[in-house]
Amino acid sequence: MANMGSISADILLDPRPTDSITELHFSPQTNHILASSWDHKLHIYDITFKRNTTLFASSHIMDLDLSAPVLSCDWSKDGTHVLGSTTGGKAFLTDLNAPGPGPTTVAQHAAPIKSARFVSVPGAVADIIATGSWDGSVKFWDCRQPEPLASVACDGKVFCMDSKGQLLVAGTSENAVHVMDLANPMAWKDTVGGLMHYQIRAVTCLSGGVGYAVAGTDGRCAFRWLDQEKQSKNFGFKCHRIDLPMTNSTTSMSARGGGAKNVDVYPVNAVSVHPRFSTFSTAGGDGCFAYWDADAKVRTKVFPRVGAQATKKEGNGLAGRIGGRAGGVGGNGGGQAAAGGEMAITATGFNKDGSLFAYAAGYDWSKGFGGSKADREDRVMVHVVGQDCNPRPKAASMQRN
């Protein structure tokens, strides 16, 4: 199983958050990790790691209590401040180098703030924060002022948002993807619909703000480039799906080939882009993460379900291609069964040079309150990437979404 990776050497960050982790990000300057959680806190850890050595350890730096479940988090560009947004409709900023009063309110909406990011607005003389809320708006804030610099209406609640370079992208409850050039933060440059068949789960901007990726609850991802001359590079694919044994009562048909099959489909909760290569990760409700090459359009590595061992052998290679019949992770005989089903991967992120990959395991609330287990152990894990995310030779063919 050359395409199957191992998570046996991954380290657990202690103390663990006591509820589901919503986002996690490495500092743009160091190997510090910031994680936001439903336990009302921002958690900050430090990772000690040196390439080509066995030195790999972690330590807990601090927790910041924001008095409400924390839905999003981010680092300032210089790594000195952290941002968190909550279900209480507020965003809080903390200066890690100051002994001051702790988190201070820097943004407010009429509904929970689902996403918060430090953004690069041309000409701005101070850090600018963008917040996307369930009140159907994205607002921009100067930390020195109590009122927003601008507010832009969205088609529905903001379910996810990201920004890199001068690009900001927001996904909404109406399955709209809003695209903004931050040179003009007063209006959306474009609105795209139909990228996902069902609810949008995550958006991620590509390095340099040259494009973006969208993921959905129906085990799909789509990549889009902004440059009109690169539209031929756009693609979509299925992933985080598991083929199930057929019974006499199951009559579903495969997407290709006409054969009968039954498929478990899981939400894609996170997409993270490698900072150096054309590679990226996906992670989902099946409790698995995988690495992919966007240029060669192949899956480079898939990893065992968190808390479980692989139970199936790798397929004939088709499942390892983007858009294979059942679509990649756990598809068409590849990957592993998600026994138990309650352990998902809810957030992921690479460090600044792509040598480390962090992932959060827990419950993604895809089955509502009834799917939550009182004895689950939410956790943040760190994985050494090695060569697994290096670009691969381009595949001869692919099957698209």
Side-chain angles (χ1 to χ4, degrees):
M1 294 190 295
N3 200 34
M4 178 66 72
S6 173
I7 58 175
S8 61
D10 296 359
I11 63 169
L12 169 69
L13 303 189
D14 275 326
R16 306 180 189 191
T18 57
D19 208 335
S20 298
I21 297 100
T22 53
E23 286 188 2
L24 58 82
H25 302 280
F26 278 95
S27 165
Q29 303 296 326
T30 66
N31 282 334
H32 288 81
I33 291 177
L34 174 67
S36 53
S37 171
W38 278 87
D39 66 6
H40 297 198
K41 295 178 181 178
L42 292 173
H43 304 266
I44 304 177
Y45 306 89
D46 184 24
I47 309 301
T48 301
F49 172 70
K50 290 186 178 180
R51 286 178 178 269
N52 303 316
T53 74
T54 58
L55 184 59
F56 185 32
S58 68
S59 59
H60 178 245
I61 302 299
M62 68 174 70
D63 293 335
L64 298 169
D65 194 332
L66 302 189
S67 302
V70 190
L71 301 179
S72 182
C73 61
D74 199 18
W75 293 90
S76 62
K77 308 304 181 185
D78 62 4
T80 62
H81 293 71
V82 294
L83 177 67
S85 65
T86 72
T87 59
K90 295 181 179 180
F92 298 87
L93 183 69
T94 303
D95 184 346
L96 299 179
N97 293 331
T104 58
T105 303
V106 291
Q108 189 159 356
H109 283 256
I113 300 176
K114 182 57 175 67
S115 300
R117 293 289 185 269
F118 286 95
V119 296
S120 299
V121 176
V125 296
D127 284 338
I128 302 299
I129 291 170
T131 52
S133 170
W134 290 356
D135 67 7
S137 69
V138 169
K139 295 182 179 183
F140 295 89
W141 308 82
D142 182 330
C143 301
R144 303 167 300 177
Q145 301 178 18
E147 298 298 323
L149 300 174
S151 179
V152 185
C154 303
D155 292 340
K157 300 177 181 178
V158 175
F159 276 179
C160 47
M161 188 179 74
D162 195 30
S163 180
K164 284 189 178 70
Q166 289 185 208
L167 173 66
L168 182 141
V169 179
T172 77
S173 58
E174 300 302 310
N175 261 16
V177 177
H178 294 302
V179 180
M180 178 179 288
D181 182 349
L182 289 170
N184 178 24
M186 302 297 292
W188 299 113
K189 180 180 180 180
D190 193 14
T191 296
V192 182
L195 293 181
M196 294 290 105
H197 295 182
Y198 293 89
Q199 179 182 306
I200 293 173
R201 192 75 163 188
V203 295
T204 301
C205 292
L206 307 186
S207 299
V210 298
Y212 58 90
V214 183
T217 59
D218 58 335
R220 296 175 188 266
C221 286
F223 274 65
R224 292 293 183 269
W225 275 259
L226 300 183
D227 191 334
Q228 290 299 314
E229 296 182 357
K230 295 184 178 180
Q231 294 303 297
S232 62
K233 295 184 64 176
N234 295 345
F235 66 92
F237 63 100
K238 301 174 185 178
C239 53
H240 299 279
R241 298 172 174 222
I242 296 176
D243 284 3
L244 301 176
M246 293 301 300
T247 67
N248 292 334
S249 62
T250 55
T251 59
S252 60
M253 304 297 290
S254 64
R256 299 179 184 271
K261 72 173 184 177
N262 204 26
V263 180
D264 264 352
V265 178
Y266 295 87
V268 182
N269 295 325
V271 180
S272 295
V273 177
H274 194 281
R276 297 170 54 211
F277 302 129
S278 62
T279 50
F280 63 95
S281 67
T282 63
D286 57 350
C288 298
F289 66 90
Y291 298 152
W292 310 78
D293 187 328
D295 287 341
K297 294 183 173 61
V298 295
R299 186 183 65 193
T300 62
K301 193 72 68 172
V302 60
F303 294 85
R305 179 180 179 269
V306 176
Q309 297 298 318
T311 59
K312 293 184 180 180
K313 292 184 179 180
E314 197 64 13
N316 62 3
L318 181 61
R321 298 283 181 89
I322 291 180
R325 283 201 303 157
V329 180
N332 195 24
Q336 59 285 323
E342 73 278 0
M343 186 64 75
I345 296 180
T346 58
T348 61
F350 290 99
N351 70 339
K352 62 178 181 177
D353 64 4
S355 59
L356 296 176
F357 177 76
Y359 58 96
Y363 183 47
D364 61 3
W365 298 94
S366 60
K367 296 181 180 179
F369 180 79
S372 179
K373 307 296 183 182
D375 59 347
R376 76 172 192 271
E377 295 182 339
D378 300 283
R379 67 195 75 167
V380 178
M381 307 290 295
V382 181
H383 176 80
V384 177
V385 175
Q387 303 298 310
D388 292 339
C389 255
N390 287 7
R392 299 300 165 90
K394 191 169 184 178
S397 64
M398 65 173 288
Q399 292 185 3
R400 292 177 182 259
N401 184 8

